[in-house]
Amino acid sequence: MTAALPEEEAPPTTSLQLNDDVVTEILLRLPSASVLRSHAVCRAWRAIATRPGFLAAHARRRPLEIIIKDGGGPDDALALHTVPLASLDEASRRCLQSLHPGYAGGRWSLAASCDGLLLLVARGPACIEEHLLVCNPVTRQRAVVPPPSTSRMARACGFYLHGPSGEHRIVFLANDEESAGLGSSASHHVRSLEAGETRRLGPAAAALHMYTWIPKAFGHRGNLHWIEHPETEDAGDVVLVFDTVRETFRRMARPPVGSGYYAASDLVLMEADGMLATAAIRGGSVDIWVMEDHDGGESWTRRHRLDIDLPPPLPDVGWASVMMVGQNAILLRRLEGHAAALYDLTEKRVMKQLQLSRTDYLTAHVFRDSLERHAFFDLQEQS
């Protein structure tokens, strides 16, 4: 009789226990989509990945990206993509879900980007009424923004994070309400998304050309800046400045680029070495002016003069989007918007080119992921 063989011993089991600090460090290094999926792993991971401190730290680690608008879809579509601003790496291109509803009266466009949120606008056939929507393309939340008043003519000017309150706010310019909202004066209003309230800022201004296009506001050190604005059309060569903490307006002089040589549309606000800067563009020539004392004397100094010899497909700069992406590099966009280049200011050479399709348009808006969930989205979803 054959003796029974001893049962094979099972290998010892090991359990790898990760403490909260290790899990936090792992999750901080993951892209936003992976962090969202980690919520389903266990309650402990979900608790870590939804803490306010974690969300703020994760957002700081996300790369700053420039937004590309894809114009190849239907008229009411708004397809947005991003590429990293510091590298223009086409392989890292990704699609942003803008979450806008269909709107038969006009086409949605991107008005502003702030703190991981996008402000979208659609205008009616007569370009009088604006329909506004705020969305977070990462968390897939959205909220309709009501108009600032009963005025028929209103324009969203800027989107900002109010530091003292932590509220996300939109500043509007709207005709006052007499004559069915087409009165002889206009006022600025500010809308708090968190508070759900709109209030008027200061006294009414004189009659303004409300049909005027308001360019993108440039944010710097808690201020929004407009190189062109309806309120400054008759004020000469000035920049309109809005202090987002005090929520007051003031004016500053533009750089002394010379009368008649540069149009306002040839001036682009940007940041250089932590200072407010302006790129003055004419053809393939770019002058970069910096303001060393933004809150003091507000005097401009010309820091660079560039006669750029760009290779194809960037034979000229024309009306370009120029922004500082590092201490010694700027982003140049060709007139038509279908090609861009990173240009080294020190070595005076093109570091990287990005060739887009004919339906793509490189915007002047930048974006950084945020996983924060805002109460104003939740309140609208429940209503």
Side-chain angles (χ1 to χ4, degrees):
M1 183 175 180
T2 306
L5 296 175
E7 293 185 3
E8 186 175 333
E9 294 184 2
T13 59
T14 59
S15 176
L16 178 61
Q17 299 294 328
L18 302 178
N19 62 39
D20 287 357
D21 291 341
V22 173
V23 173
T24 298
E25 287 301 316
I26 293 173
L27 295 179
L28 283 174
R29 288 165 169 77
L30 296 180
S32 299
S34 298
V35 173
L36 289 175
R37 287 195 293 269
S38 75
H39 292 183
V41 174
C42 63
R43 291 181 181 178
W45 283 34
R46 180 181 179 87
I48 292 172
T50 55
R51 291 171 183 164
F54 171 87
L55 297 176
H58 186 267
R60 289 193 296 269
R61 288 177 178 243
R62 296 304 91 202
L64 194 63
E65 300 171 290
I66 190 162
I67 299 178
I68 300 169
K69 181 175 66 176
D70 183 356
D75 289 343
D76 63 346
L78 178 62
L80 302 175
H81 298 81
T82 63
V83 293
L85 180 59
S87 65
L88 295 187
D89 182 13
E90 175 65 23
S92 299
R93 176 169 173 158
R94 61 178 181 138
C95 178
L96 290 182
Q97 173 58 263
S98 55
L99 302 174
H100 61 82
Y103 175 58
R107 183 169 183 159
W108 289 97
S109 61
L110 177 61
S113 174
C114 172
D115 195 36
L117 304 176
L118 302 179
L119 177 64
L120 309 181
V121 58
R123 294 191 178 97
C127 294
I128 294 178
E129 295 176 307
E130 279 191 345
H131 301 263
L132 295 175
L133 187 78
V134 171
C135 71
N136 184 327
V138 178
T139 62
R140 300 181 175 242
Q141 295 174 290
R142 71 182 186 191
V144 174
V145 181
S149 66
T150 58
S151 169
R152 293 178 58 210
M153 180 68 75
R155 294 287 181 264
C157 301
F159 188 23
Y160 61 97
L161 180 64
H162 183 247
S165 67
E167 294 178 353
H168 296 81
R169 297 180 178 179
I170 301 171
V171 59
F172 295 85
L173 181 66
N175 278 114
D176 290 325
E177 298 178 6
E178 69 271 17
S179 303
L182 297 175
S184 59
S185 63
S187 304
H188 281 100
H189 302 254
V190 64
R191 171 81 180 180
S192 167
L193 298 182
E194 281 80 2
E197 297 176 349
T198 303
R199 55 188 170 83
R200 180 169 156 173
L201 296 177
L208 301 174
H209 300 293
M210 290 294 296
Y211 284 94
T212 302
W213 172 67
I214 301 177
K216 182 184 82 74
F218 179 76
H220 175 75
R221 292 189 179 180
N223 295 272
L224 297 180
H225 306 77
W226 294 270
I227 203 77
E228 292 179 274
H229 191 281
E231 191 170 310
T232 61
E233 284 184 349
D234 301 322
D237 296 335
V238 299
V239 176
L240 185 65
V241 184
F242 177 64
D243 186 321
T244 64
V245 175
R246 299 181 179 89
E247 296 187 320
T248 56
F249 288 91
R250 61 187 174 90
R251 300 175 182 183
M252 68 167 57
R254 293 178 187 169
V257 295
S259 61
Y261 188 73
Y262 295 95
S265 59
D266 296 324
L267 301 176
V268 180
L269 293 169
M270 52 188 264
E271 185 173 297
D273 296 333
M275 296 178 287
L276 181 68
T278 301
I281 305 161
R282 187 176 179 87
S285 176
V286 180
D287 285 351
I288 297 178
W289 299 75
V290 298
M291 179 174 288
E292 297 182 357
D293 187 6
H294 184 279
D295 300 317
E298 295 186 349
S299 60
W300 294 93
T301 302
R302 191 174 65 195
R303 181 68 60 86
H304 299 280
R305 166 162 282 181
L306 309 174
D307 293 315
I308 301 176
D309 183 18
L310 295 175
L314 290 160
D316 60 77
V317 178
W319 184 86
S321 175
V322 183
M323 60 188 69
M324 190 66 61
V325 295
Q327 291 189 350
N328 295 304
I330 58 175
L331 176 65
L332 302 173
R333 182 185 66 188
R334 191 181 175 186
L335 177 65
E336 295 84 358
H338 302 304
L342 284 177
Y343 187 83
D344 190 302
L345 293 172
T346 302
E347 299 184 9
K348 293 183 169 51
R349 65 179 181 88
V350 173
M351 302 162 54
K352 172 74 175 181
Q353 292 189 61
L354 176 65
Q355 181 63 43
L356 305 173
S357 70
R358 298 190 66 83
T359 60
D360 284 342
Y361 183 81
L362 192 68
T363 74
H365 298 279
V366 293
F367 178 79
R368 177 177 277 125
D369 279 7
S370 173
L371 293 170
E372 183 178 357
R373 298 185 67 89
H374 302 286
F376 57 83
F377 286 127
D378 299 329
L379 290 174
Q380 189 160 114
E381 289 172 0
Q382 295 171 8
S383 61

